[in-house]
């Protein structure tokens, strides 16, 4: 298993960050591993919704089928995915508004499990952590005036 995480303070209200985070039409503008949604992303963001995503991690393309596992508007989005070579993935996006409401702490946590993960654990962890950090930087750039 490989677990990764990254966190950043974004100088924007949680509503604005959430709107960008869940706008699947612009997902590729900030998500560093995303390459496309073959079928356009989820029709609606709700518990149990499924969608397919093409990704690239460590330079390798991967097709993942995601299911929305947890959803709290403007606070939490957790998805679980099935990828190639028996790899299971989980991504958790959590938003914590600052007390004044003008900024938001955004944390992304990822988990990769499966036989293929044990073969490339260290490199996968480094690559995925760098991708999460880049994603947060790009997300910040999109929502911060």
């Amino acid at each position: 298993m490989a677990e990764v995480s990254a966190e950043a303070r974004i100088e924007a209200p949680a509503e604005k960050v959430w709107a960008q985070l869940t706008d699947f039409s612009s997902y590729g503008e900030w998500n560093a591993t995303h390459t496309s949604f073959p079928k356009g992303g989820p029709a609606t963001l709700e518990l149990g919704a499924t969608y397919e995503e093409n990704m690239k991690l460590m330079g390798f393309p991967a097709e993942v089928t995601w299911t929305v596992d947890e959803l709290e508007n403007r606070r939490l989005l957790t998805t679980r995915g099935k990828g190639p070579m028996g790899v299971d993935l989980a991504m958790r996006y959590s938003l914590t508004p600052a007390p004044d409401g003008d900024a938001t702490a955004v944390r992304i946590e990822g988990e990769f499990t499966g036989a293929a993960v044990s073969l490339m654990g260290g490199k996968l962890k480094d690559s995925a952590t760098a991708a999460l950090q880049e994603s947060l930087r790009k997300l910040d750039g999109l929502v911060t005036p």
Side-chain angles (χ1 to χ4, degrees):
M1 175 182 354
E3 294 179 338
V4 296
S5 65
E7 189 168 347
R9 177 184 166 98
I10 296 179
E11 299 298 325
E15 295 79 14
K16 189 172 182 181
V17 176
W18 181 261
Q20 185 68 56
L21 181 79
T22 58
D23 177 6
F24 289 93
S25 67
S26 65
Y27 210 61
E29 293 178 34
W30 66 269
N31 189 311
T33 61
H34 175 79
T35 57
S36 70
F37 290 115
K39 298 178 183 174
T44 58
L45 188 59
E46 60 188 13
L47 282 176
T50 62
Y51 59 99
E52 295 174 11
E53 180 184 16
N54 291 328
M55 304 174 66
K56 191 172 236 181
L57 193 57
M58 294 179 35
F60 297 103
E63 296 177 9
V64 178
T65 301
W66 294 102
T67 301
V68 176
D69 194 47
E70 290 180 282
L71 181 63
E72 291 179 39
N73 194 28
R74 298 186 312 262
R75 302 290 303 217
L76 177 68
L77 171 62
T78 303
T79 56
R80 299 207 177 274
K82 297 278 185 194
M85 301 187 304
V87 174
D88 291 323
L89 303 93
M91 295 300 297
R92 179 182 175 94
Y93 303 88
S94 56
L95 281 62
T96 305
D100 63 8
D102 291 338
T104 307
V106 181
R107 182 170 177 81
I108 306 175
E109 299 167 276
E111 180 179 293
F112 304 83
T113 56
V117 174
S118 61
L119 298 173
M120 53 186 169
K123 286 187 177 190
L124 174 62
K125 191 171 184 173
D126 292 346
S127 178
T129 298
L132 292 183
Q133 291 168 340
E134 181 182 350
S135 295
L136 285 172
R137 184 184 53 75
K138 288 180 174 182
L139 182 63
D140 186 11
L142 289 172
V143 298
T144 302

